[in-house]
Amino acid sequence: MSAGYKDDQNDWLTVCLKYLLFVFNFLFWMGGAAVLGVGVWTLVAKSDYLSLLASSTFAVSAYILILAGSLVVVTGFLGCCAVIREQRSCLSTYFIFLLLIFLIELVAGVLAYVYYQRLSEELKQHLNYTMTENYAQPGKEAITLAVDNLQQDFKCCGSNNSHDWTLSRYIVSGQAEDRVVPDSCCKTITPHCGKRDHPSNIYKVEGGCITKLEKFLADHLLVIGAVGIGVACLQICGMVFTCCLYRRIKMDPY
């Protein structure tokens, strides 16, 4: 009778572990969708700003999240099959995939955190140069468009202030046609509106575009880091449940 009770207890524990893994898989899919969504959102929302950055760390973090989110879809399906079929080989493969995705998301989170720490210094060193030396220059159409969108979206003018444009290659050259700032600095864009830099005509924001772009990127990096590390922590539970179920099945002589 005690042996039968022990068998029933083992069966009950195995069933509980299976349901726990099913619940985890559901949460895992939800987390994967969040990871994938954040990665796509990071690249799609204001993606033209990436051309203004000196390093590609920001974009790499987003691509890593997209890769991890895509793997989650496949891994979640594999996890359900492993639980239903109760095969140790499937559970082992599932565990390896969980560990791989865990490491990928951890890397994305750490990259986002590291880049967040040096974002301000990078923008201070490179943004003004990128804007003043590359705006409206041959072969720099992407940067020109990014600068125009930046100034209009964030209602700012120049990296630090509108005076940054004074010595820019665009204003110094004849192509500016007597403008003192690009037309994208204007509150209402009309042809040659950049000839007048009065506060009633152009954006004169404290801190210029650099403070606005820094806040925008910092917010995105915090979301990338939080989602990546958060889902990675969730996967630790999944790996623990998988190991426990693997042991229960291994104890079964059949």
Side-chain angles (χ1 to χ4, degrees), residues 9 22 33 88 92 117 124 169 192-193 214 239:
Q9 189 180 40
F22 272 123
R88 282 174 284 172
S92 299
Q117 298 299 310
K124 288 176 183 176
R169 293 178 66 182
H192 299 90
C193 64
E214 181 181 349
M239 288 187 280

Side-chain angles (χ1 to χ4, degrees), residues 137-163:
Q137 300 305 304
K140 303 295 183 179
E141 290 78 10
I143 291 179
T144 301
L145 178 62
V147 171
D148 285 337
N149 289 338
L150 174 68
Q151 296 191 137
Q152 278 295 297
D153 291 348
F154 292 137
K155 297 179 171 53
C156 58
C157 183
S159 176
N160 298 291
N161 53 61
S162 59
H163 297 299

Side-chain angles (χ1 to χ4, degrees), residues 61-77:
S61 297
Y63 282 121
I64 290 175
L65 285 185
I66 292 174
L67 172 64
S70 301
L71 285 174
V72 165
V73 176
V74 177
T75 305
F77 176 75

Side-chain angles (χ1 to χ4, degrees), residues 123 127-128 131 151 157-161 164-165 207-211:
L123 290 178
L127 184 61
N128 185 53
M131 293 175 72
Q151 296 191 137
C157 183
S159 176
N160 298 291
N161 53 61
D164 289 341
W165 288 109
C209 293
I210 191 170
T211 56

Side-chain angles (χ1 to χ4, degrees), residues 6 63 107 110 137 157 175 184 216 228 246:
K6 187 175 181 180
Y63 282 121
V107 167
V110 170
Q137 300 305 304
C157 183
Q175 65 184 131
S184 57
F216 172 81
Y246 181 89

Side-chain angles (χ1 to χ4, degrees), residues 78-89:
L78 177 64
C80 287
C81 292
V83 173
I84 293 171
R85 301 180 68 177
E86 294 188 15
Q87 289 185 345
R88 282 174 284 172
S89 59

Side-chain angles (χ1 to χ4, degrees), residues 86-152:
E86 294 188 15
Q87 289 185 345
R88 282 174 284 172
S89 59
C90 286
L91 285 172
S92 299
T93 305
Y94 178 58
F95 179 86
I96 291 171
F97 268 92
L98 282 180
L99 183 60
L100 176 64
I101 297 172
F102 171 79
L103 294 175
I104 290 174
E105 289 173 343
L106 206 57
V107 167
V110 170
L111 275 178
Y113 178 77
V114 170
Y115 189 58
Y116 176 80
Q117 298 299 310
R118 56 189 182 89
L119 174 63
S120 178
E121 189 62 30
E122 178 182 312
L123 290 178
K124 288 176 183 176
Q125 289 179 358
H126 300 284
L127 184 61
N128 185 53
Y129 177 85
T130 301
M131 293 175 72
T132 57
E133 294 297 314
N134 297 297
Y135 185 83
Q137 300 305 304
K140 303 295 183 179
E141 290 78 10
I143 291 179
T144 301
L145 178 62
V147 171
D148 285 337
N149 289 338
L150 174 68
Q151 296 191 137
Q152 278 295 297

